[in-house]
Structures are given as structure tokens and as C-alpha cells.
Amino acid sequence: LLGFDAYDIRQEKIIGRLTNVEDYPAGDMYIVRKDGVMHMIPEVFLKEVDLENKKIIFETIKGLAEDNE
């Protein structure tokens, strides 16, 4: 899954690329990076893994993976 695009349903766009998955007692944390910005997204927001299109689909909440625009 590393290297897959990370798509956010709420923002309707790719928010970065999965660079790591870290194991925490409360669950996995997905590390997504884009243009030097890192987002840590808890597994509870993971909705789907699209192996065919190499995409991980999240549905984040406001403030979790916001743009810097």
C-alpha cells in the first residue's frame, strides 16, 4: 500500500501519497505526505483500498487533512 495515492471523499481530491503506516495501541495511523506536508490519519477514517487503481480512500473530518491554500 505504500506509495498509493490517498484520496479524501470529503475534499473530493488526492491529498497525498501514503508513505508509512504506524502501529499504535488505538489502531493504525496512516502517514500521508504531499509537497512537504504530512498528515497523520487514523485508520477509523479509512473507507476503502482500491488495489486496481493504487488508491487508498479516506473520509476525513474538517481540520484533519486540510489544504494549506
Side-chain angles (χ1 to χ4, degrees):
L1 301 180
L2 296 182
F4 279 26
D5 285 332
Y7 179 82
D8 184 8
I9 294 170
R10 181 181 60 81
Q11 296 184 68
E12 300 180 334
K13 67 179 184 177
I14 300 293
I15 57 171
R17 188 164 297 230
L18 183 67
T19 59
N20 198 13
V21 179
E22 297 180 3
D23 182 34
Y24 287 90
D28 290 342
M29 187 73 68
Y30 292 82
I31 310 302
V32 174
R33 296 178 190 269
K34 182 178 181 183
D35 299 330
V37 177
M38 180 183 78
H39 302 291
M40 297 178 74
I41 304 175
E43 72 178 323
V44 69
F45 296 104
L46 177 65
K47 296 300 177 190
E48 181 182 344
V49 175
D50 182 348
L51 294 174
E52 184 176 326
N53 295 304
K54 296 184 178 181
K55 188 186 312 183
I56 295 183
I57 301 169
F58 295 99
E59 187 168 5
T60 66
I61 58 173
K62 188 166 179 66
L64 185 62
E66 295 297 320
D67 284 340
N68 291 331
E69 298 176 358

